[in-house]
Amino acid sequence: MKYNPNEIEEKWQKYWAENQTFAASNNSEKPKHYVLDMFPYPSGAGLHVGHPLGYIASDVYSRFKRHQGFNVLHPMGYDSFGLPAEQYAIQTGQRPEDTTRVNIDGGVDKEGKQIAGYRKQLDKIGFSFDWSREVRTSNPDYYKHTQWIFIQLFNSWYCRKEGKAFDIAELVKVFEGEGNGLVEAVCDDNVAIFTAAEWNSYSDDQKEKILLQYRMTYLAETEVNWCPGLGTVLANDEIVNGVSERGGYPVIRKKMTQWSMRISAYAERLLQGLNDIDWSESIKESQRNWIGKSVGAMVKFKVLSPKSLVQSEAALSDLVLGNKDSFIEVFTTRPDTIFGVTFMTLAPEHDLVAKITTADQKNAVEAYIEKTAKRSERERMADVKTISGVFTGSYAEHPFTKEAIPVWIGDYVLAGYGTGAVMAVPCGDERDYAFSNFFKGQNGMPEIKNIFANVDISEAAYGSKDNVEIANSDFLNGLNYKNATQAVITALEKIGQGSGKTNYRLRDAVFSRQRYWGEPFPVYYVNGLPKMIDAQHLPIILPEVEKYLPTEDGLPPLGNATIWAWDTKNNEVVNKDLVDNFEIFPLELNTMPGWAGSSWYWMRYMDAHNENEFASKEALAYWESVDLYIGGSEHATGHLLYSRFWNKFLKDKGFAPTEEPFKKLINQGMILGTSAFVYRIEGTNSFVSKNKIGEHKVQPIHADVSMVNSSDELDVEKFKAWREDYADAEFILDDNGKYIVGREVEKMSKSKYNVVTPDDICAEYGADTLRLYEMFLGPLEQAKPWNTAGISGVFGFLKKLWRLYIDENNGLIVNNDEPTKDNLKSLHKTIKKVAEDIENFSFNTSVSQFMICVNELSSQNCHSKAILEPLAILVSPYAPHIAEELWAQLGHTTSIATVDFPVFDAKHLVESSKEYPVSFNGKMRFTIELPLDLTAAQIEEIIMKDERTLRQLDGRTPNKVIIVPGKIINLVG
């Protein structure tokens, strides 16, 4: 019987679906193991061969754990809300819910495009997903619970003293009993202090405004990344080189009233939690850097009154500073350098900039602010070479020397980090040093002060804390870094202008998006203040709109909705024309960001059909957290950070059972595409073969790899038919009449025409070949190029495996013969290697071992059931379809999926004999197998009596017999 993968794979995929083979139980006596993949966003482009890499790895591991006796949860779903679907809907005039559904389920969209559908593509690869638990974040039965979690965040506050979140009602009781003077809470800056009597006298609206300053999710005017081209706010990780990752549109900084999440409250817990999880050090370091813990001091520099700087009334009228008691607050990790402050720099977005800029500097400052608004925070942080800034014209007072310090603005200072202001100490900081030297000699830039004893700063700053002796610094002279730091903090606290402080770079996360295709907020507004819709009335379903762009007056797309107001009497969404601000109120027009639904989805898989809760306590207690999570490293500071934040919050509120959501994380590497290039002679429509370029000036152009064979030869006719402008193209061929393309390994992408789809591979070679080949390409966590030419070798291996069991006449050739010593050695080497490799995620070396084993068994002519039955189980995690078929051929009537993994027995690898090469004067003449426990004398006796030895000696007596037991036998002379 010929190995027919398509027939076999279709048969077993149908069997698994009908028998729910991989459905996990929430009530099992088996130990649990939860294996999760980062779920995909379902685009219309579908999967290419790079996408399944992590899924195949997690599937191998899941199947292995089932063989080991675990109750394995291995679910799959779709992160189906988001900007790409909305943009596609705008471009094609389709509804995003329609395109999203077709992208998942397959079919023909309204443009007539045939969409394969993610589900069908995934099924073809033979994954052991528990599809009974599928989730789609855009389904109301899912985002109902996302809305519920948002309400819990709104109704919570974070207590610094206890280090956790509590119900807002508990905070209200504190306010009623003692005011807020002693409350240790994470809250807005500059919250006014009030007594219990004052709180109890406030109106309901006043109380709500105050509570908004404490809630875990709150409304505030925030600096955001605004993308006019997309009509929405973007997160930092959605921006690349100052433009939107989606579409490449310019992004500017802008102040908007937004919903935000107090992720900053969890900064220390997010840092400490990294010590308790098995993640790569690079991902942990990314998160540590993003959280950015710094220990130092907060210092207040008094903004000088104009009267102290100018003598005439005319000069005074040029200044726009009114409050002589204003302060610039800075956070510094080097308070020991305070006497080296030469100037101060504010972020261009800092609130004080408009207040302190003088009239003669106004135009320059405003022009600079407009220019920097077009650069993202990431771009500004990364660009250490560009130096730019403007003097505001104003000064601040040094807290100790009372010296006037010029105040500049510069985009290397970020409003979202620290206080948005820095005290610049050029002698101790490279960036301040460069800034000072760049503007040297200009008004408002003094000479650099050197406060380090015996240090030359003529060429560069001295940034080290080691071996520092402070000089030219009044009461700090002669002190080292540590002692000077403590002395400054004590002195600042004494004069009321500073204190010791731990600061974090992590900012609260903006949670509003001005787009349509996202979760609606369960929020309506009374007197401009947000109110939560009661959880029993959820979900608040996304309404239909005719247009997905913002309204003409700039409102988000939900402003186009007709039925979008909340009736508080009947508790339903009604026509917005009925808004009377008495019983019917306007609903929130923003939607939640893409990370909302993905920040808790692993818990929904635990109890996916629970209508009343996001998951029952019993299900959460059983599954606890994800044991193995596989996905891309690009989510290090986005999804992974937000997920940990939501998990910790839900733990505080008694819902999540563990502090961390993902015990072990593996980032799979990227499968790269091998692009093909044709070479067009500049100024012509002629294409020259790679080997004939010579002196021609050519322009490389991507060609579709489907038109190129394994010998890099282009199908010229296909290329000419590919595009209308190539129809009349001329081709300069090689001497052998072929057009040879150039090759380059780069990211697999539709735009580079180097995409290989798993559907094509499965159709030609079968899913088992695809699975084995992707695992064989190289270490899971490394990037590796795809080469379709190499897949035939893996396909050949599967055919050779098949022939161990089935002959050419469709006959089962497995017998009950007792396995030989070599048979058992080959098998148990493989058992040991495969088990160790899977546990260590070294999947590529397992595939190599399979090939070695099958080659050995074939050469041994092994057809013993005692060997081939466990071999089928070993292969099953990698190539499940052929393993199931061979298992059935062996007479089994149930799936191989949960059969016990073979047990390794070390005795079969212990060598009891040795095949010695027997040499005469250094030349090997024959071999002989002898027991390893023989002494040299015993070996010599046997050799000297062997007929082959006697023939070689021909009556002579050797001068010397050299024997090393276990290694060599050599007769000399």
Side-chain angles (χ1 to χ4, degrees):
M1 176 182 178
K2 185 179 179 182
Y3 170 51
N4 187 336
N6 293 329
E7 183 180 304
I8 291 170
E9 289 168 6
E10 184 179 353
K11 168 187 172 181
W12 287 104
Q13 287 165 14
K14 183 180 179 182
Y15 174 92
W16 295 331
E18 290 176 350
N19 290 276
Q20 292 287 290
T21 304
F22 309 115
S25 170
N26 281 6
N27 298 292
S28 174
E29 294 180 358
K30 295 179 178 180
K32 71 94 182 180
H33 205 85
Y34 187 173
V35 182
L36 183 65
D37 300 282
M38 290 184 187
F39 60 171
Y41 174 78
S43 71
L47 297 172
H48 62 60
V49 291
H51 292 127
L53 178 67
Y55 302 160
I56 296 170
S58 68
D59 198 58
V60 170
Y61 194 78
S62 297
R63 289 176 178 273
F64 174 65
K65 284 298 178 183
R66 289 192 193 93
H67 286 307
Q68 287 189 316
F70 286 87
N71 178 30
V72 177
L73 174 57
H74 187 210
M76 180 50 72
Y78 306 96
D79 192 10
S80 50
F81 265 138
L83 185 59
E86 184 172 305
Q87 287 302 113
Y88 186 66
I90 292 169
Q91 294 163 7
T92 62
Q94 300 181 77
R95 299 168 72 235
E97 49 264 59
D98 291 339
T99 56
T100 299
R101 185 179 59 253
V102 171
N103 289 345
I104 294 172
D105 297 328
V108 180
D109 68 8
K110 288 187 177 179
E111 285 202 321
K113 291 182 180 177
Q114 182 68 45
I115 307 295
Y118 270 56
R119 174 60 192 272
K120 292 175 183 174
Q121 286 189 293
L122 292 169
D123 280 346
K124 282 183 180 178
I125 303 174
F127 294 118
S128 62
F129 294 134
D130 181 355
W131 282 112
S132 69
R133 298 173 185 251
E134 178 196 302
V135 302
R136 302 183 185 188
T137 59
S138 59
N139 280 2
D141 63 357
Y142 180 87
Y143 67 71
K144 163 186 178 177
H145 303 289
T146 310
Q147 293 172 338
W148 178 85
I149 294 172
F150 177 84
I151 294 171
Q152 306 315 303
L153 284 154
F154 182 82
N155 288 328
S156 301
W157 67 290
Y158 196 90
C159 176
R160 288 189 189 275
K161 186 176 181 181
E162 296 292 331
K164 62 182 292 189
F166 291 94
D167 195 280
I168 200 76
E170 295 183 37
L171 186 62
V172 172
K173 288 179 182 177
V174 175
F175 289 170
E176 290 173 344
E178 55 188 70
N180 71 339
L182 299 177
V183 171
E184 295 184 40
V186 176
C187 56
D188 290 356
D189 295 332
N190 304 316
V191 172
I193 302 299
F194 52 81
T195 65
E198 288 172 326
W199 170 264
N200 293 322
S201 70
Y202 292 152
S203 68
D204 288 344
D205 281 1
Q206 286 176 305
K207 291 177 179 177
E208 280 303 315
K209 287 177 182 177
I210 291 170
L211 288 175
L212 267 178
Q213 296 180 301
Y214 289 87
R215 295 183 186 275
M216 287 299 299
T217 185
Y218 60 96
L219 276 174
E221 189 175 61
T222 310
E223 279 281 338
V224 296
N225 302 309
W226 173 250
C227 180
L230 295 174
T232 190
V233 167
L234 297 177
N236 284 332
D237 53 320
E238 295 174 309
I239 303 165
V240 178
N241 298 323
V243 297
S244 62
E245 187 176 33
R246 178 73 181 181
Y249 297 102
V251 177
I252 62 172
R253 299 289 292 171
K254 180 179 178 180
K255 284 195 172 181
M256 296 178 70
T257 299
Q258 299 285 297
W259 282 104
S260 290
M261 294 272 179
R262 287 193 206 278
I263 187 174
S264 60
Y266 287 84
E268 187 62 28
R269 282 171 64 183
L270 288 166
L271 269 179
Q272 295 305 318
L274 293 171
N275 299 325
D276 303 324
I277 50 182
D278 184 8
W279 293 15
S280 71
E281 196 54 39
S282 61
I283 292 290
K284 288 183 178 183
E285 196 58 27
S286 292
Q287 293 213 350
R288 290 189 188 107
N289 292 337
W290 195 257
I291 295 165
K293 182 178 181 179
S294 302
V295 178
M298 191 68 77
V299 187
K300 295 169 74 173
F301 289 79
K302 186 177 180 179
V303 178
L304 286 173
S305 164
K307 291 181 181 178
S308 63
L309 298 175
V310 294
Q311 303 300 319
S312 67
E313 291 296 321
L316 178 60
S317 67
D318 286 339
L319 298 177
V320 291
L321 178 64
N323 183 3
K324 67 179 181 180
D325 296 321
S326 294
F327 287 90
I328 297 173
E329 281 195 305
V330 303
F331 173 78
T332 176
T333 60
R334 295 295 305 272
D336 61 307
T337 66
I338 195 164
F339 284 94
V341 177
T342 302
F343 61 98
M344 301 189 74
T345 313
L346 304 183
E349 307 87 359
H350 198 290
D351 290 339
L352 273 178
V353 173
K355 297 176 184 177
I356 68 172
T357 300
T358 60
D360 58 342
Q361 291 295 105
K362 187 172 184 291
N363 290 340
V365 167
E366 288 179 349
Y368 184 75
I369 291 171
E370 183 180 353
K371 177 184 175 183
T372 58
K374 298 173 183 177
R375 302 182 78 202
S376 70
E377 283 195 359
R378 277 195 172 183
E379 187 180 0
R380 285 160 59 178
M381 287 169 66
D383 184 5
V384 296
K385 295 181 180 179
T386 304
I387 300 171
S388 66
V390 177
F391 179 42
T392 65
S394 286
Y395 295 79
E397 182 183 83
H398 193 284
F400 297 123
T401 67
K402 306 305 178 184
E403 178 186 1
I405 301 169
V407 181
W408 287 64
I409 62 172
D411 70 356
Y412 74 97
V413 182
L414 304 176
Y417 178 54
T419 63
V422 299
M423 58 177 224
V425 182
C427 69
D429 181 271
E430 283 295 342
R431 201 148 193 182
D432 293 342
Y433 189 89
F435 192 94
S436 179
N437 278 322
F438 187 81
F439 292 105
K440 185 177 181 179
Q442 293 192 28
N443 181 35
M445 184 53 68
E447 290 290 323
I448 295 175
K449 302 173 184 177
N450 187 5
I451 56 156
F452 300 125
N454 305 315
V455 172
D456 180 12
I457 60 161
S458 60
E459 299 294 331
Y462 184 75
S464 174
K465 296 176 182 178
D466 301 325
N467 303 317
V468 165
E469 182 185 335
I470 303 297
N472 305 317
S473 299
D474 196 9
F475 61 90
L476 301 181
N477 287 341
L479 298 181
N480 61 20
Y481 157 73
K482 185 176 181 180
N483 293 334
T485 295
Q486 190 53 55
V488 169
I489 292 172
T490 301
L492 287 168
E493 290 174 344
K494 189 174 181 178
I495 64 174
Q497 282 191 243
S499 60
K501 184 176 174 62
T502 298
N503 204 39
Y504 300 90
R505 181 183 289 116
L506 182 66
R507 300 293 92 191
D508 287 345
V510 176
F511 198 67
S512 298
R513 296 293 184 269
Q514 293 66 46
R515 60 189 187 216
Y516 171 76
W517 192 233
E519 296 90 339
F521 285 92
V523 175
Y524 64 97
Y525 288 88
V526 178
N527 297 329
L529 292 170
K531 303 288 183 184
M532 296 296 114
I533 293 170
D534 195 281
Q536 65 180 312
H537 306 305
L538 301 179
I540 303 303
I541 296 176
L542 196 64
E544 290 191 18
V545 296
E546 289 186 12
K547 299 177 181 177
Y548 303 111
L549 291 168
T551 64
E552 292 181 2
D553 51 358
L555 293 175
L558 286 184
N560 293 311
T562 302
I563 312 299
W564 200 238
W566 184 247
D567 184 336
T568 57
K569 183 179 180 181
N570 297 306
N571 294 307
E572 62 182 3
V573 179
V574 298
N575 194 298
K576 65 184 181 184
D577 291 340
L578 299 176
V579 170
D580 57 13
N581 290 311
F582 177 67
E583 287 184 344
I584 301 175
F585 300 91
L587 282 161
E588 173 66 68
L589 298 182
N590 290 310
T591 54
M592 298 185 198
W595 57 268
S598 64
S599 290
W600 69 278
Y601 76 110
W602 64 94
M603 288 187 271
R604 185 58 177 170
Y605 284 135
M606 298 177 185
D607 196 10
H609 303 294
N610 192 324
E611 294 181 4
N612 301 315
E613 307 167 279
F614 69 84
S616 70
K617 287 185 178 180
E618 294 76 17
L620 288 160
Y622 178 73
W623 292 109
E624 291 185 336
S625 60
V626 176
D627 295 286
L628 173 65
Y629 196 25
I630 296 183
S633 60
E634 67 272 15
H635 299 290
T637 55
H639 160 65
L640 290 171
L641 200 62
Y642 299 140
S643 296
R644 295 180 63 221
F645 159 46
W646 276 38
N647 198 90
K648 290 176 188 294
F649 168 75
L650 291 170
K651 172 74 162 56
D652 288 352
K653 299 307 294 286
F655 300 113
T658 60
E659 181 81 4
E660 290 288 340
F662 317 121
K663 291 180 184 177
K664 184 175 182 64
L665 171 71
I666 291 181
N667 302 123
Q668 82 273 12
M670 187 181 294
I671 289 184
L672 304 171
T674 303
S675 298
F677 290 89
V678 292
Y679 301 94
R680 181 160 57 191
I681 300 173
E682 287 186 1
T684 74
N685 200 24
S686 295
F687 293 84
V688 58
S689 180
K690 177 187 174 183
N691 301 326
K692 287 286 186 178
I693 291 176
E695 300 297 321
H696 293 293
K697 287 187 177 181
V698 296
Q699 175 192 7
I701 296 173
H702 280 96
D704 195 312
V705 294
S706 66
M707 298 182 291
V708 181
N709 67 18
S710 58
S711 300
D712 296 340
E713 180 185 356
L714 177 73
D715 186 322
V716 170
E717 294 307 314
K718 278 188 179 179
F719 182 79
K720 291 170 73 173
W722 185 32
R723 290 185 180 177
E724 191 175 332
D725 51 332
Y726 297 156
D728 298 324
E730 295 180 352
F731 293 84
I732 301 173
L733 307 177
D734 275 7
D735 294 338
N736 58 6
K738 296 179 178 180
Y739 187 98
I740 302 301
V741 300
R743 290 290 202 175
E744 185 176 326
V745 174
E746 52 187 350
K747 183 178 179 180
M748 194 171 283
S749 166
K750 202 164 65 168
S751 64
K752 302 180 189 300
Y753 305 105
N754 62 358
V755 166
V756 178
T757 70
D759 308 53
D760 293 340
I761 301 298
C762 290
E764 186 171 355
Y765 298 100
D768 285 339
T769 299
L770 173 71
R771 292 168 63 102
L772 280 165
Y773 184 58
E774 294 220 1
M775 292 297 92
F776 188 51
L777 279 173
L780 177 62
E781 296 172 75
Q782 293 181 12
K784 45 257 178 188
W786 177 271
N787 183 0
T788 303
I791 207 166
S792 58
V794 175
F795 185 52
F797 155 72
L798 286 174
K799 290 191 286 187
K800 196 167 188 177
L801 172 69
W802 180 263
R803 290 196 295 272
L804 285 175
Y805 299 77
I806 310 294
D807 67 16
E808 294 179 358
N809 299 315
N810 196 25
L812 182 69
I813 52 175
V814 178
N815 55 48
N816 292 316
D817 290 355
E818 192 70 26
T820 67
K821 180 175 54 178
D822 286 339
N823 296 163
L824 289 166
K825 181 180 177 182
S826 295
L827 174 66
H828 283 269
K829 273 195 305 184
T830 306
I831 294 172
K832 183 176 188 291
K833 179 67 174 165
V834 171
E836 289 175 351
D837 283 352
I838 295 178
E839 291 288 10
N840 294 322
F841 307 98
S842 301
F843 303 110
N844 57 315
T845 51
S846 276
V847 180
S848 298
Q849 182 58 38
F850 286 138
M851 293 176 175
I852 293 168
C853 180
V854 168
N855 283 338
E856 288 179 352
L857 295 176
S858 297
S859 65
Q860 295 160 12
N861 197 26
C862 174
H863 301 289
S864 170
K865 186 175 183 180
I867 300 297
L868 298 185
E869 195 168 67
L871 178 61
I873 303 169
L874 292 177
V875 169
S876 175
Y878 290 83
H881 306 89
I882 192 172
E884 288 276 21
E885 182 62 26
L886 294 173
W887 191 250
Q889 292 285 343
L890 290 169
H892 298 283
T893 56
T894 57
S895 171
I896 198 174
T898 55
V899 175
D900 288 346
F901 200 76
V903 177
F904 167 64
D905 190 339
K907 73 181 182 184
H908 295 298
L909 302 191
V910 176
E911 300 285 353
S912 60
S913 63
K914 163 73 177 178
E915 188 173 48
Y916 285 89
V918 181
S919 300
F920 294 82
N921 294 318
K923 293 183 179 181
M924 198 272 284
R925 298 301 184 184
F926 64 89
T927 62
I928 185 170
E929 187 162 343
L930 298 172
L932 279 170
D933 58 357
L934 294 179
T935 66
Q938 290 171 324
I939 293 172
E940 183 176 347
E941 183 180 354
I942 293 169
I943 290 298
M944 293 306 293
K945 291 179 180 179
D946 191 283
E947 290 183 4
R948 292 170 291 183
T949 302
L950 296 173
R951 283 199 301 270
Q952 285 291 328
L953 292 174
D954 193 23
R956 290 177 289 108
T957 301
N959 297 329
K960 194 174 185 181
V961 178
I962 302 170
I963 296 174
V964 180
K967 292 187 177 179
I968 62 169
I969 300 171
N970 187 22
L971 286 75
V972 180

